[in-house]
Amino acid sequence: MSSMLLQLFRLSFIASVLHAEHEKTSDLSVVQQTVMDTFHMEEYGSYLVIAPQSSVVEIGTNFTATCVITNTDEVTADDLYWNRSLSSVVPKEYYTKINVSALAVTIPITSRESEWLFCLANKKSAFVLLNKSKFMNGIWLKKRYPPKRATNISCVAEQKENEPSFPVLSCTWETVGHQTKDEQTTYTLMVEFPFPRLNRADCITGVFCKGIINRTETYTSSPTPHNKASVSFGSFPHHMNLDIWVVSQSSLGKIESEHLRQDAHYFVKTSAPSNVKVIVEQSFPTSLLVKWQHPIDQVYIKLTSQIRFCQDGSLDWRYVDVPNADTSVQTSFRLQDLQPGKDYVIQVRCKNVRRNRGYWSDWSDSVTEKTPEDRPTSKPDLWWKSENGEAQLICKEPKFSNGRITAYSIKLRYTKKEGEQEIIPVNGSGTQQSVDQKPVTLLKRISLADKPSVRVCVAAINSVGTSPEACLHIPAKPSGTQTVEGMNVSTLDGQMFVEWKQPNSAAVTEYVIEWMSNGKIDWQRERNSTNKTAIKGKLQPYVCYNVSVYPIQSGFIRKPARLEAYLKQGAPSEGPSTQSNPAYYSAELWWNPIPLDKRRGFITNYTIFYQKDHQLKNITVPGNITSYDLTNLSGNTKYDVWITASTIAGSGKGISHSFTTLKYAPEMVAGVVVGVSLGFLFFVLMTTLLCFYKKEVIKKNLWPQIPNPGESTIGNWSPDYPSKVETPKENCVTGVCVLNVGVCEVTPGFEEDKTSLSLKKDKYLSEEHSSGIFGSSCMSSPRQSVSDSDEGPDLADSTASTVQYSSVVASSGYKGQNPAPQPQHSIFSRSESTQPLLDSEEHPDIVQEGSRQVQCSPRESLFTHGAENQNTIESDNCRLLGMEQHDFCPLKEEAEQTTESDSQSADAESASPLSSYMPQLGGYRPQ
Amino acid sequence: ASLAAAVDPSNNLASERSSIESTYELTKYLEYQLKEIKDVYLTYLGPPFNEKDFSPPRPNSTALTLPSAATRLELWHGLENQARLAQNQRAYSILLAAVRELARSTLCPSLKTSLLHFCTGLDGLLGSISALMNSLGYSSPLQAAARPTMNDFARKVEGFWILRELQSWLWRSAKDFNRLKKRLRG
């Protein structure tokens, strides 16, 4: 019973493992190993055996396995069946019953995934059911492709430096076939020699030819997964046939590639020839003799050589195969048909002389040598350029300058008798440019102002001789009607083509195609039969060329046809800069044409963009105008405007420009001006009329009648005041005295002077008010100094020169109780008029009464008011009460004034007769 | 013989010419190679073999049972191509075995390598001659020879003469192949 349980457990374990394998193949190796171990455990007791036990099967083939029943008669072959994986039953048509105890299955291997193949027994008997694991076996089918096959083998054996040895044969090949990710084909290069040379197929492939060679040497590379390998020879098998092939190997076996059977020299690549020398012979200016050495003796390999040469800087190589003699190897060659006076670069290489054997070696190092100079054999290319009223003779070196041009011989002939000759030395380049790229040389400037034409003949001179002459009749102005018509310029594949119609009448000997841009001129000559040609000079794209076709008639230049053309047009690199003259509803725009070098093409149109508050509008105008009036604009509005210039290749944007339309239209301004003018005229008119009719009223209000004091009769009006005008001076002196009396030194006789009483009263009031306001003014005020000093009368005389007619009310200063350090007399309002003061005259009694009150009250108030605060309040009250409290105020004010003065001057206090003020100082508020 | 019957010389003229050219070049190369090896080998043998005018008598050993290459030129030229090729083949097969024995018995490793490489080339030459004879429809009898035991000096003399005979044969073979090439061209 325990044995059965163990079997069941094993079976369930296998099933679970296989299920896991089926679902998750990524961990294949672990699963595979586990299952295989399990089967090995079961092998000892299994009644089924599969042959082969484990196999690598080739994808795309059929695989046959046989299941054999052993050690039991419980089942027969009819009870067996095959499963691919655990559950997929192989159909019975794939089965082949070998005998009663063996069943074979043949399955096609199509997929790339490896899988299990199980053999199981299906018989419903208790024994089979109980020993189910013993009636089951399986094999793991590893699926592989056959090894990839090498093909197209090619080999090379490079010469070891300076030795007749080619130690390594390196081969590469391509591969054909498939390969799974978990399998890699390795390749082994095989080389065997010697191999029979005959090319007959039956010999090459047959055993017979193999038997010809007694012994062969075989070289093998190390296996590699790559498509290249090499073998090393001890001694290179010169002159022997090699048999080369590649063996591909994988787990499914080996495959040989096709065999490459060639002479060993078929694969050699020698070093480059050495010691290349070029010999110059002065007597052969068109020839150079080249000599070199082969890299290997001809006993090993017989070599042939190839020379290439070019003019220095051109890289236009010409190749020469050096012919070989039958018996000897050629190691020198004479290059011919060279141009005299030119630098030539020469290289040599070599290879096996046998055709299709070996590779060309690398080129030898370059050798540069110059052919000897010869006299120029062609004419210089003479042309002319008209500039600023003079003709500039220009030319290019002769095509066959045969050396460096050192000078030009110029012959000028204005008439049959008049002529000149000149030799102009030049520093010829001697470079190798083609005739169309030779630099242009300015020979001479000649003025044709007073001559119709000049015949110019130029010859080039080098160190050997002089070239043939090139002659040209240069007119002051090309004459004749335009003989070339239908000129057209087109571009194709980066070339500019010029086409024209041949004139019918004129006998043109040749044409000169001239192209000019930015002051640079170039030209080329064409035969008279030509009517279309490509410009051979180096033209730049985006550059405007003036292309002209000049017909030449026996050396006479005729009137050309001319066109502007671009090799390639582009968008302008910049747009036009805009200027504007805005109006109210419109704006005039104008712009300068784009500079020629910035256009980069023909301007087809301009597009004017203008924008107001993000509303963009545009107008396209033709390319030939440079101004435009923008209309339908809004008044008093800022516009941003820019112009793009367009060619067929694109547009270039100009700088943005802003303008603001006028605030008013001119007609609006005119209307306003007229309206205002009319209104003003109407106003003036009405005002004039008003003044005219209301003249008296206006005069009365604006210029009131002022009585003339001179005509006043008041002086004579009252007999009681005969000396009214003169008395103030006297009264003033006495007035000072009155004040002193007011400070309690009463002068008895004062009251008697009634004439001056009113004036004294006035003065007194004035001083009291000023003292009240400016408490410290006693020291500096002349009037108060008078009051503090015995010298008062003298000073009073000086100050009393002006008569005071009115009292001063300085209430604001007083109210502040904040006396200034110095008296400010400016707050006194004083009339300088000599007019009699009518009020004083009208109320003389009031003045007198006040005067009396002042004189009697001071002493009382000194003892009545001890406290300063009370004094201040009372002063304020005094001011508020006005004239009604006038009886009490002056003394208080004077006491305060004195206190302040004393606090500032102890001397004044001690000297002052008013020492009675002193006890109050302690209670006085500091200023 | 059946193979030779299938050969059409006119169809394979170009390949035969090329084969003869290659055989000629190989012969010249072996001649050049032998010249270098011979000097080294004579030095290896030591005096008196490395002396300039030393010439021991030619032994009649098995290795030298071949006819000498120093036959009269007109007699040699009087032979048919087939006979000349057959003699060449026989001479080289004997000489190859002899040189291979020299290489085997040589103690100097570099000289041994050179001799073995030379043998490879000589084997190639032998194969080329055999193939050439086949392509021209000639039979190529091969033979092997047993070697008697010899003392050291006799072996040195034999080696001396093997190389000398080989040099003569190569020199003459080269001329043979050149002539054969020209005849085929004509």
Side-chain angles (χ1 to χ4, degrees):
Chain A
M1 191 62 186
S2 61
S3 169
M4 286 175 59
L5 286 173
L6 185 63
Q7 293 291 341
L8 284 171
F9 173 74
R10 285 177 174 175
L11 187 63
S12 62
F13 173 71
I14 292 168
S16 64
V17 169
L18 292 177
H19 182 68
E21 183 271 333
H22 181 71
E23 288 187 345
K24 184 181 178 183
T25 57
S26 61
D27 202 10
L28 197 62
S29 59
V30 176
V31 173
Q32 177 185 338
Q33 189 61 44
T34 309
V35 174
M36 288 305 296
D37 289 345
T38 308
F39 275 115
H40 283 302
M41 285 169 57
E42 295 299 324
E43 259 182 19
Y44 298 101
S46 178
Y47 299 117
L48 302 180
V49 176
I50 297 176
Q53 254 304 308
S54 179
S55 182
V56 177
V57 295
E58 184 177 334
I59 299 168
T61 62
N62 290 331
F63 173 71
T64 300
T66 304
C67 186
V68 180
I69 302 163
T70 59
N71 301 328
T72 183
D73 296 328
E74 281 292 322
V75 295
T76 65
D78 296 329
D79 299 322
L80 300 180
Y81 67 97
W82 292 88
N83 268 12
R84 297 181 86 161
S85 76
L86 201 60
S87 56
S88 174
V89 179
V90 179
K92 288 196 179 296
E93 53 264 31
Y94 293 100
Y95 298 172
T96 304
K97 185 177 177 182
I98 307 296
N99 54 36
V100 70
S101 61
L103 179 69
V105 66
T106 302
I107 54 173
I109 306 299
T110 52
S111 68
R112 299 174 60 160
E113 286 74 33
S114 297
E115 61 180 337
W116 284 93
L117 181 63
F118 291 105
C119 176
L120 301 110
N122 184 22
K123 187 177 182 183
K124 293 178 179 175
S125 71
F127 184 78
V128 173
L129 285 174
L130 288 174
N131 297 283
K132 200 168 184 178
S133 64
K134 292 192 174 185
F135 289 96
M136 175 182 181
N137 209 337
I139 56 172
W140 176 247
L141 301 181
K142 295 179 188 172
K143 297 182 180 178
R144 298 286 186 268
Y145 285 107
K148 296 170 82 173
R149 189 186 184 89
T151 182
N152 288 341
I153 302 172
S154 63
C155 302
V156 60
E158 294 198 26
Q159 184 181 359
K160 193 175 179 182
E161 193 70 28
N162 299 324
E163 289 185 23
S165 173
F166 302 82
V168 177
L169 181 73
S170 302
C171 299
T172 59
W173 55 86
E174 298 168 8
T175 58
V176 291
H178 299 284
Q179 188 168 281
T180 55
K181 288 180 182 175
D182 49 355
E183 177 119 33
Q184 199 169 42
T185 303
T186 57
Y187 306 93
T188 306
L189 175 66
M190 310 289 289
V191 181
E192 192 175 279
F193 60 86
F195 192 84
R197 294 182 175 279
L198 291 184
N199 295 327
R200 284 165 46 205
D202 56 346
C203 181
I204 296 295
T205 57
V207 182
F208 171 76
C209 283
K210 282 281 187 184
I212 288 177
I213 307 296
N214 294 324
R215 294 188 183 186
T216 55
E217 292 184 27
T218 303
Y219 291 83
T220 305
S221 74
S222 35
T224 173
H226 306 295
N227 289 14
K228 59 182 180 181
S230 59
V231 295
S232 298
F233 300 117
S235 298
F236 189 75
H238 290 286
H239 304 289
M240 289 184 225
N241 250 13
L242 306 186
D243 187 12
I244 302 171
W245 72 98
V246 174
V247 176
S248 312
Q249 184 169 16
S250 72
S251 58
L252 277 178
K254 294 180 179 179
I255 293 180
E256 276 190 13
S257 68
E258 289 186 349
H259 286 234
L260 177 64
R261 287 155 179 162
Q262 291 287 355
D263 189 287
H265 289 165
Y266 184 89
F267 308 106
V268 300
K269 179 185 178 185
T270 66
S271 302
S274 56
N275 292 334
V276 179
K277 293 178 181 174
V278 180
I279 298 163
V280 181
E281 295 161 290
Q282 293 298 327
S283 52
F284 299 105
T286 60
S287 173
L288 289 172
L289 180 62
V290 186
K291 290 186 175 181
W292 63 93
Q293 285 184 357
H294 277 160
I296 192 169
D297 193 279
Q298 63 171 330
V299 73
Y300 298 100
I301 308 173
K302 194 173 178 182
L303 296 173
T304 188
S305 302
Q306 190 179 52
I307 301 174
R308 69 173 182 180
F309 64 98
C310 67
Q311 288 191 16
D312 193 9
S314 79
L315 292 178
D316 183 17
W317 294 101
R318 289 168 59 191
Y319 293 81
V320 177
D321 288 323
V322 178
N324 275 290
D326 280 347
T327 54
S328 64
V329 173
Q330 201 74 17
T331 55
S332 65
F333 189 77
R334 182 179 291 279
L335 296 173
Q336 293 179 311
D337 296 329
L338 306 179
Q339 286 190 30
K342 304 290 183 190
D343 285 320
Y344 282 93
V345 180
I346 298 162
Q347 293 178 324
V348 187
R349 65 176 177 175
C350 58
K351 74 175 276 293
N352 194 326
V353 71
R354 304 283 291 276
R355 184 179 293 179
N356 300 327
R357 288 194 186 181
Y359 299 92
W360 280 109
S361 71
D362 295 330
W363 289 102
S364 67
D365 292 337
S366 297
V367 176
T368 304
E369 202 59 67
K370 191 172 194 170
T371 50
E373 287 196 357
D374 195 5
R375 77 172 185 88
T377 50
S378 63
K379 304 174 182 176
D381 191 356
L382 176 64
W383 191 237
W384 120 109
K385 184 167 80 170
S386 178
E387 189 172 285
N388 301 328
E390 62 180 12
Q392 297 182 2
L393 297 180
I394 51 180
C395 82
K396 298 178 193 172
E397 289 185 358
K399 182 179 180 182
F400 300 108
S401 58
N402 295 344
R404 192 174 70 84
I405 300 299
T406 55
Y408 286 95
S409 161
I410 300 180
K411 293 176 186 170
L412 301 175
R413 184 171 290 276
Y414 299 103
T415 63
K416 287 187 176 179
K417 294 182 179 177
E418 185 184 1
E420 57 184 91
Q421 184 170 357
E422 188 176 1
I423 302 292
I424 298 176
V426 294
N427 187 14
S429 60
T431 51
Q432 312 294 326
Q433 291 99 339
S434 67
V435 68
D436 298 309
Q437 296 173 353
K438 284 181 182 290
V440 177
T441 305
L442 173 63
L443 297 177
K444 189 176 176 63
R445 300 170 190 270
I446 50 177
S447 176
L448 295 174
D450 53 346
K451 301 176 182 67
S453 69
V454 62
R455 176 182 165 83
V456 182
C457 290
V458 174
I461 303 169
N462 69 7
S463 63
V464 180
T466 305
S467 74
E469 282 186 339
C471 295
L472 200 62
H473 284 274
I474 298 175
K477 198 172 183 181
S479 59
T481 57
Q482 184 172 319
T483 54
V484 173
E485 293 179 345
M487 179 185 173
N488 187 30
V489 180
S490 58
T491 57
L492 182 67
D493 296 333
Q495 275 196 305
M496 188 180 286
F497 293 89
V498 185
E499 197 172 3
W500 64 95
K501 290 179 181 175
Q502 295 185 2
N504 296 324
S505 57
V508 177
T509 50
E510 65 175 342
Y511 294 100
V512 170
I513 316 300
E514 176 197 274
W515 59 96
M516 197 186 313
S517 100
N518 298 329
K520 290 183 179 176
I521 188 171
D522 203 350
W523 69 95
Q524 68 188 55
R525 295 178 183 275
E526 298 294 337
R527 292 180 179 176
N528 58 357
S529 58
T530 309
N531 60 2
K532 183 177 183 180
T533 186
I535 289 180
K536 298 184 180 72
K538 283 186 179 176
L539 301 183
Q540 302 294 324
Y542 318 125
V543 173
C544 184
Y545 288 95
N546 266 316
V547 183
S548 307
V549 179
Y550 285 88
I552 309 294
Q553 292 178 327
S554 303
F556 288 87
I557 301 167
R558 299 305 182 198
K559 194 172 181 182
R562 185 166 290 166
L563 278 179
E564 286 186 340
Y566 284 87
L567 181 65
K568 184 180 179 183
Q569 294 194 55
S573 57
E574 66 178 39
S577 56
T578 316
Q579 292 175 289
S580 63
N581 181 18
Y584 183 73
Y585 291 115
S586 64
E588 182 190 5
L589 299 177
W590 67 93
W591 57 94
N592 293 325
I594 306 170
L596 203 57
D597 57 329
K598 302 287 177 59
R599 288 184 205 169
R600 296 157 62 89
F602 295 114
I603 303 298
T604 54
N605 59 61
Y606 293 104
T607 306
I608 303 169
F609 292 89
Y610 57 105
Q611 175 174 280
K612 173 194 76 170
D613 299 334
H614 304 294
Q615 294 177 352
L616 182 64
K617 295 180 180 177
N618 67 77
I619 296 170
T620 300
V621 299
N624 57 356
I625 71 167
T626 54
S627 66
Y628 187 78
D629 286 333
L630 284 179
T631 54
N632 297 327
L633 303 180
S634 304
N636 192 24
T637 306
K638 184 184 178 186
Y639 282 89
D640 292 325
V641 59
W642 64 92
I643 297 176
T644 60
S646 301
T647 66
I648 59 170
S651 302
K653 183 186 173 186
I655 300 168
S656 184
H657 168 78
S658 298
F659 65 82
T660 305
T661 48
L662 296 182
K663 197 167 185 178
Y664 302 104
E667 55 270 24
M668 293 170 66
V669 175
V672 168
V673 169
V674 169
V676 169
S677 301
L678 288 175
F680 181 72
L681 284 174
F682 179 76
F683 174 76
V684 169
L685 184 64
M686 291 304 292
T687 306
T688 308
L689 288 174
L690 189 66
C691 292
F692 184 77
Y693 285 111
K694 297 289 184 181
K695 185 175 69 179
E696 292 303 322
V697 176
I698 293 168
K699 186 178 179 182
K700 186 177 181 182
N701 287 332
L702 297 182
W703 293 282
Q705 189 76 31
I706 300 172
N708 188 352
E711 295 173 358
S712 177
T713 56
I714 193 165
N716 302 321
W717 176 66
S718 176
D720 295 333
Y721 302 96
S723 56
K724 182 76 177 180
V725 177
E726 291 82 10
T727 51
K729 291 181 179 176
E730 298 171 4
N731 289 339
C732 179
V733 176
T734 55
V736 174
C737 298
V738 170
L739 183 61
N740 290 333
V741 171
V743 187
C744 302
E745 289 184 13
V746 179
T747 305
F750 180 75
E751 289 182 358
E752 296 173 6
D753 191 353
K754 292 189 177 183
T755 307
S756 59
L757 182 62
S758 62
L759 295 176
K760 281 188 262 182
K761 162 75 167 132
D762 284 341
K763 184 177 179 183
Y764 180 75
L765 285 175
S766 171
E767 286 182 7
E768 282 189 341
H769 281 287
S770 70
S771 299
I773 296 166
F774 309 106
S776 62
S777 61
C778 290
M779 294 302 291
S780 58
S781 169
R783 285 187 292 271
Q784 291 189 9
S785 298
V786 168
S787 66
D788 294 336
S789 170
D790 294 335
E791 297 173 8
D794 295 335
L795 291 170
D797 285 341
S798 63
T799 55
S801 60
T802 300
V803 179
Q804 296 181 0
Y805 293 96
S806 62
S807 66
V808 176
V809 180
S811 59
S812 62
Y814 179 73
K815 185 180 179 180
Q817 290 288 322
N818 192 13
Q822 292 183 352
Q824 295 182 12
H825 298 286
S826 59
I827 64 168
F828 291 86
S829 175
R830 181 181 297 170
S831 173
E832 298 296 335
S833 172
T834 55
Q835 292 278 334
L837 196 59
L838 298 178
D839 288 343
S840 300
E841 293 169 355
E842 290 173 3
H843 306 285
D845 51 339
I846 296 175
V847 175
Q848 290 172 352
E849 183 182 342
S851 177
R852 278 192 304 271
Q853 288 171 343
V854 168
Q855 289 174 356
C856 60
S857 61
R859 294 184 189 277
E860 292 175 16
S861 60
L862 281 173
F863 299 100
T864 305
H865 305 289
E868 190 221 29
N869 290 341
Q870 289 176 349
N871 190 10
T872 306
I873 294 167
E874 286 172 7
S875 298
D876 289 340
N877 292 338
C878 169
R879 191 184 60 82
L880 290 170
L881 287 172
M883 292 305 294
E884 285 78 11
Q885 294 184 347
H886 198 79
D887 291 344
F888 306 99
C889 289
L891 186 58
K892 294 172 190 172
E893 290 168 359
E894 190 174 10
E896 183 180 319
Q897 170 199 350
T898 308
T899 304
E900 291 171 0
S901 301
D902 291 344
S903 67
Q904 294 179 6
S905 175
D907 296 338
E909 287 172 4
S910 59
S912 172
L914 298 177
S915 59
S916 58
Y917 288 114
M918 289 302 291
Q920 299 181 13
L921 286 173
Y924 195 80
R925 179 170 54 91
Q927 294 292 312
Chain B
S2 62
L3 196 68
V7 174
D8 182 359
S10 61
N11 289 343
N12 293 304
L13 194 63
S15 67
E16 284 165 2
R17 192 178 297 151
S18 172
S19 178
I20 293 167
E21 174 73 21
S22 298
T23 308
Y24 167 77
E25 287 175 353
L26 177 59
T27 310
K28 294 291 287 181
Y29 170 64
L30 289 173
E31 188 186 355
Y32 172 82
Q33 201 177 5
L34 178 63
K35 189 180 173 186
E36 289 187 338
I37 290 174
K38 188 186 168 190
D39 291 342
V40 178
Y41 189 78
L42 294 181
T43 307
Y44 167 74
L45 291 180
F49 296 94
N50 60 347
E51 292 170 2
K52 191 177 179 184
D53 297 325
F54 178 72
S55 181
R58 189 174 187 271
N60 196 17
S61 64
T62 312
L64 295 168
T65 52
L66 73 164
S68 170
T71 52
R72 293 176 61 187
L73 200 61
E74 58 272 20
L75 290 177
W76 182 251
H77 286 171
L79 294 174
E80 291 293 325
N81 288 330
Q82 182 182 3
R84 274 202 301 272
L85 284 173
Q87 288 221 32
N88 269 300
Q89 189 193 30
R90 178 167 169 268
Y92 288 124
S93 61
I94 293 169
L95 288 168
L96 174 60
V99 175
R100 196 164 275 147
E101 179 58 28
L102 285 186
R104 191 192 63 77
S105 60
T106 301
L107 298 175
C108 175
S110 61
L111 184 59
K112 189 171 190 169
T113 304
S114 299
L115 283 169
L116 286 173
H117 182 68
F118 180 76
C119 287
T120 307
L122 205 58
D123 212 344
L125 177 62
L126 196 57
S128 294
I129 294 169
S130 301
L132 184 60
M133 290 177 70
N134 276 303
S135 66
L136 293 172
Y138 309 144
S139 60
S140 54
L142 292 174
Q143 58 182 14
R147 292 180 57 79
T149 56
M150 288 183 287
N151 64 29
D152 188 51
F153 186 79
R155 196 177 292 123
K156 284 188 177 182
V157 172
E158 188 187 60
F160 178 89
W161 274 99
I162 285 169
L163 298 185
R164 176 177 280 191
E165 284 294 338
L166 197 51
Q167 199 169 17
S168 304
W169 275 100
L170 287 171
W171 177 82
R172 195 167 66 181
S173 296
K175 293 190 173 301
D176 289 346
F177 295 129
N178 200 27
R179 195 174 298 114
L180 188 63
K181 185 178 66 176
K182 287 178 178 173
R183 188 185 66 82
L184 286 175
R185 187 182 296 172

